[in-house]
Amino acid sequence: MAARQNRMILDQCEIPGVRSLAVARRYGAYNALAKALTTMTPDQVVEEITRSGLQGRGGAWFGTGLKWSFMPKEPRVESFLCVNADESEPGTCKDRYLIEKNPHLLLEGVLIACYAIRASTAFIYVRGEMWEGMEVLETAIRELTTANLCGKNILGTGFTINVHVHPGAGAYICGEETALMESLEGKRGYPRNKPPFPAAYGAFGHPTTINNIGTLGYVPWIINHGADAFKGIGDPNFPGTLIYQVSGHVNRPGLYEAELTVTLRDLIEMAGGVRSGHQLKAVIPGGTSMPLLTADELDTVMSPASFAPRGSLKSGLGSAAVIVLDDTCDMVDVALNMMRFYRHESCGQCTPCREGTKWVCDMIERIHRRRARPGDLEVLEQVLVNVGDIDRFEFNKTICLFGVSFGWPLTMLIRKFRSEFEAAVAESTPAPVPLPAPASVLPDGDLRAP
Amino acid sequence: MPTMVIDGREVTAPPGANLIEAAKLAGIEIPHFCYHPALKVVASCRMCFVEVTQEVRGKPTTRLTTACNTPAADGMVVRTDTQPVKKAQNDILEFLLINHPVDCPVCDEAGECKLQDYAFAYGTSSSRFAEHRRFRHAKKLGSGIRLYTNRCILCDRCVRFLRDFVGTGELSVTDMGNGNEISVFPGRPIDNVLAGNLPEICPVGALIAEDFLFKARVWNLRPVDSVCPGCSRGCATFLDVKDNEVQRTRARENQAINGYFICDDGRYLYHVIRHETRLEHPAVREGDQLRESNWDHALDVVVSRLAESPERVVILLSPFLTEEEARAGAHLSRVLHGSVPGHVPNALREAPVSFPGGFAIDGDKAPNSAFVQNMAPVPLQDLVVTKDTVILFFNSSLRIGSVSPRDAEILRRAGFVAVIDVLWNDITALADVVLPGRMWAEKSGTFSNSAGMAQSFGAAVLPPPLTRDESDVIMDLTQRITTRISTGGGAIP
């Protein structure tokens, strides 16, 4: 039996005119905020969210309530909430939809989260390309301020929350939470080393909680309906729903919201199946940073439970961006397309990723142009392992997870479709080894003054 | 005090120490590029991997981690020599070398280059990289610093030094990912007095000082422990010597004074040693001209004037003298007339400068003011100088203008002025006898800085042949005068 969607979030986005505060309030928006502010203490909100089992929808599935509980109860300096709307994982498109369709759903979650962690300032870090989303959010915040739902003395409770929308500059790495904070501070988006964790030393050195904007969309529902109701939805270990973004070679690509018991096969079916006349070849389950699954792994339940660390699948749910590839896909093409993205988006802070992205990309480019040399594939696999070893996660070599984000999927891609790569190498005319670059020591006159 | 085991050796590290520092205490070197004890830790080069076994939730867990951002903790078991560590080090070196030009034969850093040393110690001799290498032009960054961009390993040390330690932040990383490059903003070159430290901070040959460019191979240099005479801060330095020439000055670590750095004023001060105005022979005034002379004649002229009426002699000391010389000068004064010498205060004073990282430059541009003022408490302006006064002035100032115009005017009033100096300057111009002394790099001695900290230094280079050590001259004068006085002031044979 085909699984059905549970559209607890998406249905709220499809109410006509729900972008405006008036319409949103008619459908119950900000009732949860009023309830939290007037009848609950911050700790009770944290407790409620903890009990509900809500987990971060950004891909890490960290307990939201647990994360909030790390924040200082009696802060010596102001605490901040950072909302991650820098959605840029290839294939991922849920946050943009939510923001543009129903900003008030998210903003209510933001305000409740601020109350729970005792923060009076929230920064919504929006991906630089999402101009419409930013405008929608800013308009919504203006409406809220006018209606005294945001700003000073909200609803007469004496509580102050200011919400700022901060545009990113279009770098993928700024979706990594510590790079996001660096970028927010006006610095280069370089991920930080952890520890210290953001709850102790976050944005501007203040205690900070970083939540994915999609996660906060569930918060008003939980406050309204109670933790137990939320816990009863779907898998009790991973309660609630998830918006799966199905793209690629399916008949009806789009957003499909379902409980976390849905299988990959169900999702593809919901999306109208693989386009007619073609066979499914592979599926990327959670954005290109997650290793792909093959046609015989379609019965995988699309829940973090199936993708346990060091599990046999060697993949991950990621951001639940399901990219379906049919038999027209050349896997060398796929590898090159992915790798060009990662070469462009590496921040270049730490060595393995900065040097590895270009090296790997150069090699795949050569294989793609059929100019590979014998032995290239082995070197390629070894370099990928040197950046992010899929078999030994505890030996990760980079500061953030960008290294493994291309090391793992490409390693698995080559492992699972090795014959295609071998064929490409076999039909190659080996490229000559390039001459060394000219010496860097130039005569005085040739030095370019700054 | 966390106690742990590093490679089987038990180590007790000071609180807050990281694993690189802790391992150093046990005599174990953990290779690193981006870590510098004076700078913020970024752990970006990923060279300092170690294997750490620690209890996590009651279970011993082993992981590969960077030593620079792992604080030493009680009960840690650290291994720096396991196969995964060696592989990680080898991998990182392979990554760093794929775009490095390996132009060591023409690189000034060769011999003191971390990349070179580590490639030998932890790398392999061949590379699997067979793609086009990244190529970038070299560029001038200002303040005499060049960036050989190809050699850069993007450890970020220079950026952090200028941003966090100096506070000027001229350098930054531009572009992204593999295109990362150290750059200045257009029209905003490096402009600060600590810029000369950049080539020292750079672990490879990317940042090179124009002052040392193509001058010498570092393995031919002989480093001599020295003390900077540039100001009363007294920074510890190395003078690197080859062919009896100082080739460059480097900072010598001294946590009590200068940390790991020195300022550019002190760094490039060594050029004064071979300056064209260097005083290289004695001279005696004949009419209104100073004529080249020899030591015997010049000293005899001085001694005969001193012995004429010892009570009218004024011995003057400058703050450029070492402690030993100041003591000898005071002794000479006692021998002559039983009183203490006077001093000529240094007139070159600037506002003191300090930097966010803690480095400070003293406003008094002479090395030994405090000690000399202690030995010779009376400043020149408080002394009675008439046309009968005979002045013996031990100046040896490395800087023109260290005697104020007012003090020079007082000197001009005296009947006879003999000066020991190292450069032809406004004081030698008014003297009747000029005796060539030696600079700090040519003698050993001790300077006491403004905080009263005494540091001794050794001779680095041989002096010009006709110069004499100031202590030696004072000794000689003392001896000649005692002889003269005890023999009843007879004529010079």
Side-chain angles (χ1 to χ4, degrees):
Chain A
M1 187 202 87
R4 293 194 32 212
Q5 290 197 64
N6 177 346
R7 296 171 61 90
M8 60 187 284
I9 296 289
L10 289 182
D11 277 346
Q12 297 182 63
C13 295
E14 276 150 31
I15 301 163
V18 78
R19 263 192 197 186
S20 82
L21 181 60
V23 177
R25 292 209 76 166
R26 223 177 302 139
Y27 284 88
Y30 299 101
N31 290 348
L33 176 69
K35 183 181 173 190
L37 282 176
T38 51
T39 66
M40 297 167 90
T41 64
D43 289 341
Q44 283 171 331
V45 177
V46 174
E47 171 63 27
E48 192 72 9
I49 299 298
T50 310
R51 255 185 342 109
S52 76
L54 177 65
Q55 286 143 320
R57 258 58 177 172
W61 295 89
F62 193 83
T64 305
L66 184 61
K67 192 186 252 187
W68 291 1
S69 71
F70 294 151
M71 293 296 280
K73 299 274 179 288
E74 283 155 9
R76 276 176 296 166
V77 290
E78 195 185 345
S79 298
F80 293 139
L81 174 72
C82 279
V83 184
N84 190 346
D86 190 60
E87 173 181 63
S88 30
E89 177 70 29
T92 313
C93 51
K94 66 178 195 307
D95 295 347
R96 178 180 167 187
Y97 181 83
L98 295 181
I99 292 169
E100 290 176 7
K101 289 287 180 181
N102 194 345
H104 289 293
L105 175 69
L106 307 173
L107 284 170
E108 186 175 7
V110 169
L111 294 170
I112 295 170
C114 278
Y115 177 69
I117 64 167
R118 300 172 171 82
S120 54
T121 307
F123 299 102
I124 305 180
Y125 188 98
V126 185
R127 175 179 167 168
E129 287 88 341
M130 305 206 309
W131 282 109
E132 188 180 347
M134 275 181 267
E135 273 177 29
V136 169
L137 281 172
E138 299 235 326
T139 313
I141 292 167
R142 269 198 301 277
E143 282 181 303
L144 283 182
T145 314
T146 316
N148 191 23
L149 283 160
C150 177
K152 278 187 192 152
N153 192 15
I154 296 170
L155 297 173
T157 56
F159 209 75
T160 300
I161 302 169
N162 291 308
V163 183
H164 303 280
V165 175
H166 185 95
Y172 171 69
I173 196 64
C174 290
E176 200 277 345
E177 59 177 19
T178 54
L180 184 149
M181 293 190 298
E182 290 279 302
S183 171
L184 185 67
E185 292 175 15
K187 300 176 188 158
R188 253 178 109 73
Y190 273 176
R192 295 177 185 168
N193 284 287
K194 287 188 237 179
F197 290 96
Y201 188 94
F204 306 97
H206 289 228
T208 304
T209 285
I210 301 188
N211 282 131
N212 185 272
I213 195 157
T215 313
L216 296 176
Y218 290 93
V219 169
W221 196 97
I222 296 169
I223 298 295
N224 279 331
H225 298 82
D228 297 325
F230 189 77
K231 193 125 186 111
I233 302 173
D235 181 348
N237 291 321
F238 299 95
T241 61
L242 180 61
I243 301 170
Y244 297 91
Q245 308 116 76
V246 186
S247 62
H249 297 147
V250 286
N251 285 319
R252 287 196 309 276
L255 305 184
Y256 295 91
E257 186 177 3
E259 290 159 14
L260 282 106
T261 48
V262 71
T263 64
L264 194 48
R265 195 182 298 280
D266 295 334
L267 277 175
I268 295 172
E269 220 167 275
M270 280 179 202
V274 177
R275 59 180 179 168
S276 56
H278 292 282
Q279 291 297 310
L280 183 101
K281 189 168 184 182
V283 184
I284 299 170
T288 55
S289 299
M290 292 300 142
L292 44 63
L293 304 174
T294 47
D296 51 352
E297 289 161 321
L298 282 188
D299 290 317
T300 304
V301 177
M302 287 295 283
S303 144
S306 322
F307 301 103
R310 301 178 191 82
S312 57
L313 273 179
K314 289 193 187 297
S315 184
L317 182 57
S319 61
V322 179
I323 302 172
V324 179
L325 309 175
D326 73 10
D327 52 11
T328 58
C329 284
D330 172 8
M331 283 304 164
V332 181
D333 272 353
V334 173
L336 180 61
N337 189 318
M338 280 166 59
M339 209 45 228
R340 278 186 175 152
F341 173 79
Y342 289 105
R343 179 183 62 182
H344 182 256
E345 293 296 345
S346 167
C347 79
Q349 180 180 206
C350 63
T351 309
C353 180
R354 178 183 67 237
E355 306 295 340
T357 42
K358 177 169 179 290
W359 190 357
V360 168
C361 194
D362 282 358
M363 273 194 282
I364 294 177
E365 234 159 40
R366 235 163 6 79
I367 295 172
H368 187 256
R369 283 191 286 121
R370 302 299 187 263
R371 299 304 306 271
R373 306 182 196 97
D376 266 0
L377 210 49
E378 288 69 29
V379 175
L380 180 59
E381 282 188 305
Q382 286 162 18
V383 173
L384 286 168
V385 164
N386 291 352
V387 180
D389 190 343
I390 192 160
D391 298 316
R392 305 192 76 173
F393 180 60
E394 66 276 27
F395 286 178
N396 177 33
K397 294 206 184 76
T398 47
I399 294 176
C400 71
L401 292 175
F402 192 102
V404 300
S405 305
F406 73 91
W408 289 7
L410 277 166
T411 303
M412 292 313 288
L413 183 66
I414 296 172
R415 273 189 203 169
K416 287 183 173 169
F417 297 93
R418 199 180 170 86
S419 57
E420 290 190 28
F421 285 85
E422 275 170 351
V425 173
E427 65 194 52
S428 285
T429 324
V433 176
L435 290 170
S440 62
V441 177
L442 298 173
D444 264 8
D446 287 356
L447 284 167
R448 289 192 309 185
Chain B
M1 300 275 266
T3 303
M4 71 202 106
V5 178
I6 303 180
D7 286 352
R9 282 178 241 184
E10 198 175 285
V11 187
T12 303
N18 65 24
L19 291 183
I20 292 183
E21 288 155 4
K24 210 172 163 187
L25 293 176
I28 299 161
E29 196 204 1
I30 297 175
H32 59 270
F33 292 106
C34 69
Y35 170 71
H36 188 289
L39 304 175
K40 208 177 110 188
V41 174
V42 290
S44 68
C45 72
R46 316 306 280 177
M47 187 64 203
C48 62
F49 275 117
V50 290
E51 220 178 276
V52 174
T53 308
Q54 211 178 2
E55 279 210 353
V56 178
R57 289 179 212 102
K59 225 171 51 180
T61 311
T62 301
R63 68 201 158 101
L64 204 59
T65 187
T66 43
C68 66
N69 69 338
T70 308
D74 239 356
M76 265 185 178
V77 178
V78 181
R79 297 297 304 260
T80 70
D81 53 1
T82 59
Q83 201 275 331
V85 173
K86 286 181 175 165
K87 179 166 186 327
Q89 289 166 337
N90 185 26
D91 295 345
I92 298 298
L93 279 169
E94 182 178 39
F95 280 131
L96 287 175
L97 284 165
I98 60 174
N99 285 308
H100 190 82
V102 202
D103 55 352
C104 310
V106 290
C107 177
D108 282 314
E109 187 83 1
E112 54 185 11
C113 173
K114 283 195 177 215
L115 189 57
Q116 197 181 38
D117 294 350
Y118 293 161
F120 275 93
Y122 308 99
T124 48
S125 56
S126 62
S127 171
R128 296 177 292 177
F129 184 75
E131 319 301 324
H132 285 279
R133 283 170 193 242
R134 192 169 57 206
F135 176 78
R136 293 286 161 75
H137 281 282
K139 49 193 176 184
K140 292 182 174 179
L141 299 178
S143 288
I145 305 297
R146 289 186 190 185
L147 175 65
Y148 286 89
T149 323
N150 272 352
R151 298 177 188 153
C152 179
I153 58 164
L154 289 159
C155 70
D156 210 23
R157 273 189 184 186
C158 51
V159 176
R160 280 174 284 148
F161 176 68
L162 291 188
R163 187 185 62 208
D164 304 332
F165 192 95
V166 183
T168 48
E170 294 96 336
L171 288 179
S172 57
V173 182
T174 56
D175 217 316
M176 190 167 160
N178 198 260
N180 272 6
E181 188 175 332
I182 304 293
S183 289
V184 290
F185 293 103
R188 298 282 299 278
I190 299 177
D191 181 21
N192 66 68
V193 293
L194 294 184
N197 291 299
L198 289 170
E200 273 183 44
I201 290 169
C202 184
V204 298
L207 290 167
I208 294 282
E210 281 168 9
D211 187 61
F212 185 65
L213 189 66
F214 306 143
K215 248 174 144 179
R217 309 305 300 180
V218 297
W219 52 86
N220 292 328
L221 299 176
R222 179 172 56 91
V224 180
D225 289 11
S226 189
V227 175
C228 177
C231 77
S232 284
R233 187 80 184 168
C235 295
T237 59
F238 284 116
L239 296 175
D240 284 347
V241 181
K242 187 193 147 218
D243 301 338
N244 198 35
E245 297 264 353
V246 175
Q247 305 288 342
R248 64 173 177 182
T249 312
R250 274 183 304 136
R252 182 157 57 91
E253 183 187 340
N254 185 340
Q255 291 305 331
I257 296 171
N258 56 319
Y260 303 88
F261 308 112
I262 56 173
C263 75
D264 285 4
D265 184 36
R267 184 180 297 274
Y268 302 127
L269 193 62
Y270 77 88
H271 288 290
V272 77
I273 300 168
R274 294 285 181 265
H275 198 261
E276 53 180 13
T277 61
R278 183 69 199 264
L279 188 50
E280 288 185 329
H281 53 78
V284 176
R285 185 168 296 280
E286 286 175 19
D288 51 2
Q289 265 196 320
L290 279 168
R291 284 274 161 79
E292 186 171 340
S293 178
N294 60 49
W295 274 95
D296 238 12
H297 176 64
L299 283 181
D300 280 339
V301 173
V302 174
V303 168
S304 60
R305 293 303 296 265
L306 294 183
E308 267 172 20
S309 45
E311 68 285 354
R312 290 208 302 262
V313 175
V314 170
I315 307 273
L316 291 175
L317 307 179
S318 92
F320 288 88
L321 298 179
T322 65
E323 290 191 6
E324 293 79 357
E325 291 156 6
R327 275 181 210 282
H331 176 67
L332 174 59
S333 185
R334 267 199 303 281
V335 168
L336 270 174
H337 46 57
S339 64
V340 291
H343 77 269
V344 182
N346 171 39
L348 292 172
R349 280 171 196 277
E350 289 167 11
V353 188
S354 61
F355 296 89
F359 188 85
I361 302 171
D362 210 286
D364 179 1
K365 298 293 165 197
N368 211 11
S369 292
F371 187 87
V372 167
Q373 276 167 37
N374 197 27
M375 271 288 135
V378 191
L380 175 58
Q381 63 190 74
D382 294 350
L383 292 167
V384 180
V385 176
T386 66
K387 66 177 177 12
D388 294 332
T389 312
V390 172
I391 285 179
L392 180 54
F393 179 19
F394 297 95
N395 189 12
S396 296
S397 166
L398 299 168
R399 298 179 188 271
I400 308 289
S402 63
V403 177
S404 69
R406 187 166 74 168
D407 285 346
E409 199 47 52
I410 299 173
L411 288 175
R412 224 167 259 126
R413 241 186 272 153
F416 177 86
V417 176
V419 61
I420 295 194
D421 222 327
V422 288
L423 297 172
W424 290 105
N425 54 28
D426 47 341
I427 303 303
T428 56
L430 63 83
D432 297 291
V433 175
V434 177
L435 302 168
R438 289 179 180 173
M439 293 193 180
W440 89 107
E442 299 158 350
K443 60 192 178 191
S444 58
T446 308
F447 287 142
S448 281
N449 74 0
S450 54
M453 241 175 288
Q455 295 180 90
S456 51
F457 53 90
V461 292
L462 293 173
L466 287 180
T467 59
R468 285 177 72 178
D469 200 321
E470 282 80 352
S471 310
D472 187 27
V473 175
I474 296 169
M475 245 45 122
D476 197 343
L477 278 171
T478 318
Q479 203 177 2
R480 281 174 194 243
I481 287 163
T482 2
T483 316
R484 189 70 169 266
I485 293 171
S486 62
T487 54
I492 298 158

